[in-house]
Amino acid sequence: LEEPLLFEIGHIETTGVDFDFAGKLDLAGVEQPQPPSPAPSSRLGGFERTEPIGLPGLSEPETVRHYTRLSRQNYAIDLGLFPLGSCTMKHNPRLNEKIARMPGFADVHPLQPVDTVRGALEVINELAFWLIHLTGMHGVAMSPKAGAHGELCGILCIRAALEARGDAREVILVPESAHGTNPATAAFAGYKVEDIPATPEGRVDLEALKARLGPDVAGVMITNPNTCGLFERDMKAISDAVHEAGGFVYCDGANFNAIVGKVRPGDLGVDAMHINLHKTFSTPHGGGGPGSGPVVLSEALSPFGPLPYTARTGDGVVHLVEEEDAESFAKEHFGGPLQHFGRMTAFHGQMGMFTRALSYILSHGADGLKQVAEDAVLNANYVLRSLDGVLDAPFGPSGPCMHEALFSDKGFADGLSTLDLAKALIDEGYHPMTMYFPLVVHGAMLVEPTETESKAALDQFIVALRSVAERAKAGDESLRTAPHYAPRRRLDETLAARRPMLAWNDPDLA
Amino acid sequence: LEEPLLFEIGHIETTGVDFDFAGKLDLAGVEQPQPPSPAPSSRLGGFERTEPIGLPGLSEPETVRHYTRLSRQNYAIDLGLFPLGSCTMKHNPRLNEKIARMPGFADVHPLQPVDTVRGALEVINELAFWLIHLTGMHGVAMSPKAGAHGELCGILCIRAALEARGDAREVILVPESAHGTNPATAAFAGYKVEDIPATPEGRVDLEALKARLGPDVAGVMITNPNTCGLFERDMKAISDAVHEAGGFVYCDGANFNAIVGKVRPGDLGVDAMHINLHKTFSTPHGGGGPGSGPVVLSEALSPFGPLPYTARTGDGVVHLVEEEDAESFAKEHFGGPLQHFGRMTAFHGQMGMFTRALSYILSHGADGLKQVAEDAVLNANYVLRSLDGVLDAPFGPSGPCMHEALFSDKGFADGLSTLDLAKALIDEGYHPMTMYFPLVVHGAMLVEPTETESKAALDQFIVALRSVAERAKAGDESLRTAPHYAPRRRLDETLAARRPMLAWNDPDLA
Amino acid sequence: MRYLPLTDSDRSAMLDVIGAPDIDALFLDVPEEARISGPIEGLPMHASEMAVEKHMRRLSKKNLAAADAAFFLGAGAYKHHIPASVDHIIQRGEFLTAYTPYQPEIAQGTLQMLFEFQTQVARLYGCAVANASMYDGSTACWEAVAMASRIARGKKRKVVLSGALHPHYAEVVRTMAKFTDDEIAGAPPSLTAKPDDEGLIARIDEDTSCVVVQYPDILGRLPDIAKIAEAAHERGALLIAVNTEPVALGAVKSPGELGADIVVGEGQSIGVGLQFGGPYLGLFAVRDEKHVRMMPGRLCGETVDAEGKRGFVLTLSTREQHIRREKATSNICTNSGLCALAFNVHMTLLGEKGLRRLAMENHRLACLAADRLAKVPGVKVLNDAFFNEFTLLLDGDARAIVRKLTKQNILAGVSLGRLFPGNDGLTNGLLVAVTETTTEEDVETLAAALEEVLA
Amino acid sequence: MRYLPLTDSDRSAMLDVIGAPDIDALFLDVPEEARISGPIEGLPMHASEMAVEKHMRRLSKKNLAAADAAFFLGAGAYKHHIPASVDHIIQRGEFLTAYTPYQPEIAQGTLQMLFEFQTQVARLYGCAVANASMYDGSTACWEAVAMASRIARGKKRKVVLSGALHPHYAEVVRTMAKFTDDEIAGAPPSLTAKPDDEGLIARIDEDTSCVVVQYPDILGRLPDIAKIAEAAHERGALLIAVNTEPVALGAVKSPGELGADIVVGEGQSIGVGLQFGGPYLGLFAVRDEKHVRMMPGRLCGETVDAEGKRGFVLTLSTREQHIRREKATSNICTNSGLCALAFNVHMTLLGEKGLRRLAMENHRLACLAADRLAKVPGVKVLNDAFFNEFTLLLDGDARAIVRKLTKQNILAGVSLGRLFPGNDGLTNGLLVAVTETTTEEDVETLAAALEEVLA
């Protein structure tokens, strides 16, 4: 069933809200409320709107139906396994949704006097405490709004630290298998980006890295576990080499899900790492956000983190430190000037995600969080090995994978591609895996089942994947036109980019 | 996509809940909670369970997915127009869901001391006030749990009132066009049931009724607006005649939606009428309940209503009157013995529905409620007239209908039935209308669009209905096997009744 | 009005199609003298969401929510923790806003859920078949009595009620029996450490259609169902077992297993919540399949569709009143579909393992509480055995003491005085329920307060 | 663990398939000295829903919720009533638990929603094209400055900020500019009845890539966007208009209509709620289509599928960093999808009619409040014109007064001292916001308390 656009069914004269009393309804059976006080004349300074805006409305019944019907054209974790590698589509606990909506969290203004938001500050500080604890780091910047924002924050910390010691370095090294966000971030922070190659077994080439290090290198950005699904065995050696050369180590924490509770990045010499709360800590993806990207920092970088931040002093009180008191607070409590690099956003970060992530951590606890990593890795290896002989796993010989299994398109019949297989998977009732990433593998397919899938769900998925893989190898031409049973057939993305239609225009007016 | 049964995917060893601390989690960063106090030895008196129960569990991710997927096999108002006549499938406001979940309503025990539930009692009393006000009656029994329970309550009031005057009458008269619940209710209350015929124009035959009245007739049960979708013009005359003969008038209030704010049953001489809160007052149907069926009562019947009830005294306090104080309360405040007929249920009725219904009444208010009836009737007449010449409307010549439009299968090609048309409507994306009811019309189709449908939604529905009606008249054989595009094809109801399988049995054990 | 989609121009256009000059022309059949013109008198005009929400919040805040008190009430309604995902699922529009599944092709979601629910209830109760739910425990209890009457075909008219049956349930049975001429035999409970099973058995005779016994009973004790069943069956009577706390059945044997013929009860503990008494969830099951066609309420059954695929339908509806009219097996039309879903989801989350652990946690905490409270001077624990609810005998009128403790935000339990008004021998009894939501601090709070008030 | 479906027997069976002796064998690549064995130290073991909920509720209750106070805070975050259906819809699993719509065939729900959202934002802002949202208003503001730099191709490096731009927004721009070598010209606002448009214009020169002006500004005043736009355009600079209260645009002309080139802002007022500052919703639009390919963030566009049916896709993603790597137009990957949905739904419920009435109700109440507060001795209203927020000048340090009123559950507003620390000239200023949620009683409460504290 097709659902028209709001603009095709709404009316300028329709509204799904009522405005009648200023929040008063006095009953005792029979009393009529007072009519509202008369409006004084407008004080809009002559800027009153005169022209129509063009915003159609719907009544509540129509609204609920419109969006309910729209929603049913989406795939979601609640409907089935979502094997998108590097995206960690795990279950979103419903308890966390309930908690985020408690009035003391949802209905508090960011600029309320701190005495009226002590609980909110405690949430931030408690989450900060556990993030530091789980990563073995020294400090954390909580305000970054998403993973990429966190990356930027980490790189800016590095830059600020280097500047503070008068060391103007210009280059950030990024391995081939890095997330695409990494080079973009480094460039945004004003750095030149240079690639470091991968070894044939899918890890950073330590020797090549060492060879490139020097006084112009501000740091490296590394993803660990990397995008080939492998743990960087040489991480400590890499860190040591970078530190020795006077640089810093940034670790992309998008894949922290694989190692939480098993190894602490701080123990491997990492200086900064962002944590995607919507991945490891399961805040809902929501069709593309909001995210939240706190950045844990080493002792060397901690003084340079952005404002505002929270800190618990010896008396147990959690403080909110902003521009005004950053200097004096640092002097009093940390015994030195705090060299923050500034502010990355208005207000204090993604409170709505903090409450959910903290609930997630407390729910899983010391045993559960470790189990998260173990089950995530177990599930990925189970998928990897169950497809032995069906799909090519280029790094299969390198040993067990971490939380994602990487396959290539080797052996597909001529003219059939990873894209075709992915779209055929839709017809089997699944969201496709990540495609063509990492770039180091031809026609890459990156499958991340996550720990919240049951063995039965994996078995069913493996059957489906095996079936489409065999069809791809056998040259089944129907794959080329898949999906056949989705709400839409393949969409013309070229047309969309060539002649962008980015807003609805009334065809009657065209 | 098929969804297996819980029993096919769950495990006895799996659970989606954790039990670890008795509600305590003390953090301040690092404190471990105390292990729970040791269990004393069981005091179950030797009745300990020893055998397995056979209840498989699912983890939370599996549970959410199982039910999300199941839900998508349902049709619902949130997905589209639901034209079930006599069922009043209108929009359920989401505000009311929010209100019903406020802790002061959702988390209160029915036997708390009354001083701790004053607000709950006020809700019941306020709703009672408005129900009485809207119907022009004298009292109301709030505790009946659903419409049929309310009918029973009303008839028991009549019986109690007759018994109180020592008048043992044995017969309840029920017109042909009554809801099926009416005769069942009268029989349950120990009455003999006799039918009263309808006139050719679809109303109660007043003369036939008058002719049957006599000292053995306890009362009549009448549905107004009736199930032919027509208002009983002679209602007042009927009431007068019944009263004159010493009987009482029960009115089935299922169709109150058509007349709320337009006419008060009390003004037409009704003695008792149940109100389906899930119909006129829009509490959600929930796939078959819960309902709520308060019964408004005339002055003559009010003293006989069941316990418990609420009453506001002159000092503004709302009292809860139960077995214990019913006698004394009646004496003190109503100046006479209260002759309640007993208790129909534990506790005080459907509180969760009361909060929603009261919110509905206050939201609509004096203008909105009247508009409800007007728009409901307008929508029904629009459907009726838009199908002129397409579907036969047997009572179309009787004038405008009320909130539902009645059609017959006249003109359908041989061998095609109302059932076939209804199932074909499923393929058009709609829930079928009520079929084969009322019995007075051949192959009856009763369409109730309700007031919460837009004109655009009606127009779309009319196109679909017109199309299937024309196919039924043209003899399109494909109707016979409809639906073709639903989650299931026609289901074998005969098989289900002949060999009932009413619980899952493990086929491996069979 | 935010809930009414028609605009004024829609309305005129539609009146034109209908050929009516105005809306009132459609109400011509309503006698003019009775027709109301203009807005309804006395009722305020329509109100914004914000206004209604504020008004209702004000009323809500006039109640003491269970979570804000040290809470010990039971007596047929229990406070349990309900997982957040239960409410998430029952708010799915496809469940919340669906109708009774009369069109099975587009109602498999509700139907499969009901089939799962029936199976869960049947297993929990140790029965062959359960129905798709009833209004609540008390009406289910009455329906069971009526069913036993039907089975006895009017030849036996006596119903023997245990004195320790929930008094509201007994009252419902008595009320309804007034109109069906069944004879009800019952008496208030005696304050003994064990239920008086022998006394109950002694009241069963050849004219008895059924015996109704609660398990655990209203004082928290555990009657010997097997023994009573045997005695009833010897005299040709059916045994109806009533359970008001399904969590108990995670710890003790099921009534069906012990020989009860019809098992009914309240399902509110699993998934539904307190809600000031409603909506609740009536559970109804029969041990033997042979009684299925005598059962009240809806039944969902498995079948196949035209292509042979498994599917579910409402079945045996020839028993129902909308078809059978005056010959129906019950007066019930609407059931408690959404509450059945909540039960189904919560029970699925629990599973056997979770239910057993939940039950043992309830029992463990109840034992600790009983031991602690027994130490308070002036307090005696009546029960020999119990699950999560027991009776205290206080040195004083329990009802007055409960009221007093309310002022300290302690909801101490249900006094027998409130449950059995007019029975002077019971006024010192206080029924105390303890669940997994009760903390040891709550128990300490209650103990300390009792100590003070009884000193 | 309730969130982990594998059972121990599943785990062994899976290890068998993998051919690993135990789980740790899968973590072989993690150096043994760094590998943690056993549960994580210091963290409590897993906790029940009930335990976590209680803990979080305790923390929640340590905050004063806006609904429990007489509430007057604004300054970039506004308390508005959000219809209950908005939250219902965003909790639909199909929206809540979906990923970024990279597979458009099974993501039309999110994509069509984004297309509707983009259209709504563009129209509200008087622009041709809006993107699919950004993190919040402050980061959107910085992205606009960066976009202006890109358009100027590094030839113009000066950014002129209005002194009455939200100080946090200005701070974000300054922070980021440090790393891109843009020069930022700005100054604290002066406490005048009208904004100093002339002073701002005077600071625009030929090296200026863009001018950033807030409308209404941080003191609630309305700058003359048209005049500033003209001046900027004359010097080859772009005008960036920032709006932090979208409801205002139901009452006043849109920045696009008045000539702003890029319009950005905070969308939190519509559908999102206060949430202690996040997640919020960055809105971003350009007046002229020619700038589309320079825009940051995601864009959803209309296209057709293989059968010619209309559909929607993410488009122009060659601008995005996951494709362009170091040449991307922004660092943004995740946006605020779910908040955009909330905005989209709330705006749909409002419609033009509702938005205008909402705006006029805000303005009406704000006018009444300003008049009432002006009557308090020691209080002066700064603004000539305003929408729903205005600045009071108090006889005293506003910050201390705000703290004092907190104790009476009055959240009196945002002091300029907190917003602009270190600016002694501003310490008496108090920013007061009034919305449809403000009652006349709230205003009376504030007026009375101010009267007392200033006496």
Side-chain angles (χ1 to χ4, degrees), chain B residues 188, chain C residues 143 145-154 294-296 328-330:
Chain B
F188 236 70
Chain C
E143 294 279 2
V145 169
M147 175 173 160
S149 268
R150 279 197 300 278
I151 290 174
R153 293 167 194 277
M294 289 296 206
M295 280 175 83
T329 60
S330 104

Side-chain angles (χ1 to χ4, degrees), chain A residues 18-27 33-36, chain C residues 46-58, chain D residues 81 361 364-365 435-442:
Chain A
D18 293 305
F19 299 94
D20 292 282
F21 317 110
K24 280 197 69 175
L25 190 65
D26 206 345
L27 279 180
Q34 297 305 307
Chain C
H46 72 275
S48 67
E49 264 208 9
M50 197 169 66
V52 175
E53 193 177 329
K54 269 197 185 182
H55 177 71
M56 297 302 285
R57 173 159 293 128
R58 194 172 56 78
Chain D
H81 175 77
E361 182 70 1
R364 182 181 73 80
L365 288 166
T435 73
E436 78 285 359
T437 66
T438 316
T439 63
E440 294 183 34
E441 284 85 344
D442 291 337

Side-chain angles (χ1 to χ4, degrees), chain C residues 3-261:
Chain C
Y3 305 130
L4 302 176
L6 297 185
T7 62
D8 280 341
S9 60
D10 289 336
R11 292 186 182 104
S12 331
M14 292 164 76
L15 284 169
D16 283 352
V17 169
I18 295 165
D22 54 28
I23 287 275
D24 262 9
L26 304 177
F27 285 86
L28 272 182
D29 289 329
V30 178
E32 202 168 347
E33 60 280 12
R35 221 182 305 153
I36 300 164
S37 60
I40 300 158
E41 259 179 72
L43 182 64
M45 302 295 268
H46 72 275
S48 67
E49 264 208 9
M50 197 169 66
V52 175
E53 193 177 329
K54 269 197 185 182
H55 177 71
M56 297 302 285
R57 173 159 293 128
R58 194 172 56 78
L59 291 177
S60 164
K61 290 202 163 168
K62 283 186 175 182
N63 303 313
L64 176 58
D68 295 330
F71 184 90
F72 296 91
L73 275 75
Y78 301 87
K79 173 170 165 56
H80 289 287
H81 175 77
I82 301 172
S85 49
V86 174
D87 195 44
H88 175 83
I89 289 164
I90 71 171
Q91 289 205 57
R92 292 267 309 167
E94 291 91 334
F95 282 131
L96 186 75
T97 74
Y99 196 66
T100 308
Y102 290 136
Q103 296 289 340
E105 296 87 355
I106 47 174
Q108 287 298 305
T110 293
L111 286 162
Q112 180 170 333
M113 174 281 282
L114 289 175
F115 187 78
E116 293 183 358
F117 168 82
Q118 288 176 180
T119 306
Q120 286 176 328
V121 173
R123 292 181 174 194
L124 185 70
Y125 276 1
C127 286
V129 175
N131 76 11
S133 84
M134 315 201 76
Y135 302 142
D136 69 357
S138 68
T139 51
C141 177
W142 156 246
E143 294 279 2
V145 169
M147 175 173 160
S149 268
R150 279 197 300 278
I151 290 174
R153 293 167 194 277
K155 289 183 193 132
K156 296 168 170 236
R157 301 224 67 101
K158 187 167 146 190
V159 177
V160 175
L161 302 186
S162 152
L165 174 64
H166 194 299
H168 290 174
Y169 288 41
E171 192 56 33
V172 172
V173 172
R174 271 189 212 100
T175 296
M176 306 303 285
K178 265 198 268 184
F179 301 99
T180 52
D181 291 332
D182 287 307
E183 178 201 338
I184 307 296
S190 50
L191 292 183
T192 51
K194 283 188 200 302
D196 180 16
D197 297 337
E198 295 305 330
L200 181 68
I201 287 171
R203 278 154 49 213
I204 310 174
D205 61 20
E206 299 301 325
D207 192 37
T208 302
S209 66
C210 61
V211 181
V212 184
V213 62
Q214 186 174 325
Y215 170 84
D217 74 13
I218 186 68
L219 302 180
R221 305 169 306 185
L222 290 150
D224 190 340
I225 296 281
K227 193 161 73 179
I228 302 166
E230 201 184 340
H233 294 161
E234 265 172 29
R235 290 164 187 81
L238 295 180
L239 178 61
I240 297 170
V242 176
N243 168 271
T244 65
E245 172 52 296
V247 174
L249 301 181
V252 299
K253 287 192 169 57
S254 67
E257 204 177 343
L258 295 169
D261 301 285

Side-chain angles (χ1 to χ4, degrees), chain B residues 122-413:
Chain B
E122 278 190 46
V123 166
I124 300 178
N125 204 69
E126 208 172 290
L127 176 60
F129 178 92
W130 294 120
L131 294 180
I132 292 169
H133 186 79
L134 290 168
T135 55
M137 303 289 277
H138 185 270
V140 61
M142 294 297 286
S143 70
K145 303 289 252 183
H149 208 221
E151 282 181 32
L152 188 59
C153 174
I155 294 301
L156 295 184
C157 286
I158 290 174
R159 188 158 162 170
L162 287 168
E163 282 175 1
R165 72 180 192 220
D167 193 353
R169 294 168 176 238
E170 291 183 333
V171 175
I172 294 274
L173 304 180
V174 181
E176 275 186 352
S177 61
H179 282 142
T181 47
N182 296 353
T185 297
F188 236 70
Y191 283 108
K192 275 191 282 196
V193 177
E194 289 184 26
D195 283 357
I196 294 293
T199 63
E201 63 158 15
R203 295 191 168 87
V204 174
D205 185 331
L206 176 60
E207 293 316 311
L209 176 77
K210 278 186 176 164
R212 180 56 193 86
L213 287 171
D216 61 335
V217 174
V220 302
M221 294 184 84
I222 202 162
T223 303
N224 193 16
N226 71 24
T227 55
C228 300
L230 303 175
F231 192 85
E232 294 287 355
R233 271 197 295 252
D234 297 327
M235 191 68 208
K236 188 73 173 67
I238 293 169
S239 300
D240 289 347
V242 173
H243 289 158
E244 204 173 322
F248 290 97
V249 177
Y250 187 88
C251 179
D252 185 315
N255 294 341
F256 190 50
N257 202 50
I259 56 168
V260 56
K262 298 298 288 185
V263 56
R264 308 191 310 164
D267 295 340
L268 302 173
V270 166
D271 289 293
M273 177 177 94
H274 75 269
I275 297 173
N276 303 77
L277 295 186
H278 56 293
K279 295 185 181 180
T280 310
F281 299 103
S282 188
T283 70
H285 286 255
S292 180
V295 181
V296 285
L297 299 167
S298 63
E299 190 162 4
L301 290 188
S302 287
F304 303 97
L307 295 178
Y309 65 92
T310 64
R312 187 190 292 270
T313 46
D315 54 1
V317 175
V318 177
H319 301 265
L320 176 68
V321 184
E322 296 184 296
E323 282 80 357
E324 185 175 13
D325 47 1
E327 204 62 39
S328 62
F329 191 87
K331 209 167 286 171
E332 185 178 345
H333 294 285
F334 304 138
L338 204 74
Q339 295 150 299
H340 66 82
F341 71 75
R343 180 183 280 267
M344 292 199 72
T345 173
F347 313 131
H348 328 300
Q350 307 285 62
M351 184 66 183
M353 306 293 113
F354 297 161
T355 47
R356 290 173 172 90
L358 179 58
S359 302
Y360 179 90
I361 290 174
L362 297 178
S363 290
H364 282 77
D367 49 344
L369 276 181
K370 179 186 142 90
Q371 194 73 58
V372 161
E374 292 183 351
D375 284 357
V377 169
L378 179 62
N379 277 354
N381 278 284
Y382 183 66
V383 171
L384 182 69
R385 293 307 165 200
S386 296
L387 290 161
D388 263 356
V390 183
L391 276 175
D392 171 60
F395 302 116
S398 309
C401 62
M402 296 302 283
H403 66 311
E404 41 197 11
L406 179 61
F407 303 99
S408 83
D409 62 2
K410 195 165 140 191
F412 283 16

Side-chain angles (χ1 to χ4, degrees), chain A residues 16 37 49 53-55 74 107-108 122 133 203 233 262 288 324 341 345 366-367 423 488 492, chain D residues 11 29 36 41 44 46 62 66 103 105 110 123 136 178 249 276 303 310 335 349 352 364 399 440:
Chain A
S37 308
R49 267 231 197 237
I53 314 174
L55 293 171
N74 272 0
D107 192 28
V108 204
E122 279 189 47
H133 186 78
R203 294 191 167 87
R233 274 197 292 254
K262 298 297 287 183
E324 185 175 12
F341 71 74
T345 173
D367 49 344
K423 297 295 183 189
R488 283 291 177 284
D492 189 341
Chain D
R11 291 187 184 105
D29 290 329
I36 299 165
E41 261 179 68
H46 73 274
K62 284 187 174 181
Q103 297 288 341
E105 296 86 356
T110 294
R123 291 181 176 193
D136 69 356
K178 264 199 268 183
L249 301 180
F276 200 52
T303 187
R310 176 171 72 183
N335 61 359
L349 282 164
E352 178 136 356
R364 182 181 73 80
R399 201 157 183 185
E440 294 183 34

